[in-house]
Amino acid sequence: MSAHLTTRQRNELNAAILDYLSSNSQFSNAYEVFKEEAGLSEAPPATGREQGLLVKKWNSVIRLSKQVSDLKVKMAQMVESDGNPTERGNTGGERRNLPLQKEPVTVMSGHRERVTCVRAHPKFGLVASSSDDSTIKVWDAESGMLEASLKGHSKAVSHIAFNASGDLLASCSSDMTVKLWNMSSTKGRDSLYKCARSMVGHDHTVSTVEFLVAGNRVVSCSRDKTIKIWDISSGYCINTLQGHRDWIRALAVCKHDNLIASGGNDQVLIVWRLSEGTKGTVGSELHRLEHHTHSIQTIAFAGKPLQRVGATNDPSSQENGAAESSKPPSPPEVMLLASAGRDNMICLWNLNSGELAFVLDDHTNWVNDLLFHPTSKYLLSASDDRSVKVFDLESRRCLRTLEDAHGHFVTCLTMAPHLGRLFSGGVDFEVRGWECR
């Protein structure tokens, strides 16, 4: 086990073990033996972080084991009922992965300013958050305890993103830099949570950073009205995209196509198609979408195409099809792009046609973040009205609302399907975890 622990983690574990042994009088001999074997002449005082840590971790293991057992039972029942647990359509099983309307299960406090972005590790039980306090914090998703604080930016950290493996974390800041952080101990324990590279090239605040699908590039947007594509291995900017007339606040990457989308203060949403040229990754405008009446704050691509979303059937084709089959023709599949901002609207766009599919206007204040559910049938939103909303995209109605999700504006969202949790960040300096079912 020690090969997988940093010196700090090992010291914290030793302190937690001693704390547990010292709290039980029947372990007094074991306490002395462990202290000697661990090479501790004096027992380090357990801080708030280590106090009760072993009990908390053990309770987390029990809870996770029960969840795994429950999932195995449900999977067996699904297979028995229809033979295929992955093709169940729009059933109640999917909605068990939506946030519940009750108190958060974890509250992570430690930032000194507004939380700007929160991201769940793609594989492990970790959550990272960025803040206007110029730090990035890494939390244990189950216990809510602080694992590490990453310091390197000199001004507010605007946004963060994990790569697909979770080995790297990208961050961007008002200090005009993009940084890469090592999130794996495979290169040595001393390199964990350390800044691996700093990339300079923007002339103003960098608003958003994301990894491209291939994993060897990151893309960033800025108040300098440009989008830059960076090579991870060299740290060099290999291309700059220009097309916006004002601050670019939001950027999103399509996971199944070579597309990115950008938007900001000019109220225009641009969809770019990326391709590899002789000088590296280049981009060309695919769609220029206009409907917003104020700054665009957030953009999200659906992970999967959907049916019956803004689609209409041609009556003549239905008449011709009736002669061949009694079933009505299936609606065309639609790939969705969502955008939202300071006009309180959420716009859903048909990427196939580049047209506006429909608008959701349930929020009463700025919409700061959008998140598609893994099934792409639901859209989650965070707003300055202090709520988190869940929308059913087929019915175009709000299914659930987490009222007063934070004590102030809700700024960001991320989902960890492998943990059954939704995490949100706010102007109240907190990150909160919500149980999903």
Side-chain angles (χ1 to χ4, degrees), residues 62-91:
I62 294 174
R63 184 166 59 253
L64 286 172
S65 297
K66 184 178 185 302
Q67 290 176 357
V68 170
S69 299
D70 291 344
L71 285 173
K72 287 181 178 179
V73 172
K74 291 175 183 177
M75 288 290 288
Q77 292 172 344
M78 292 167 72
V79 171
E80 183 179 355
S81 62
D82 62 8
N84 191 344
T86 63
E87 300 290 337
R88 291 185 61 83
N90 188 16
T91 67

Side-chain angles (χ1 to χ4, degrees), residues 81 105 197 202 230-231 243 303 307-308 319 338 348 364 399 414:
S81 62
V105 291
R197 190 174 299 281
H202 280 294
W230 308 84
D231 179 74
Q307 292 183 344
R308 299 186 296 279
E319 292 175 3
L348 278 298
T364 58
L399 283 181
T414 189

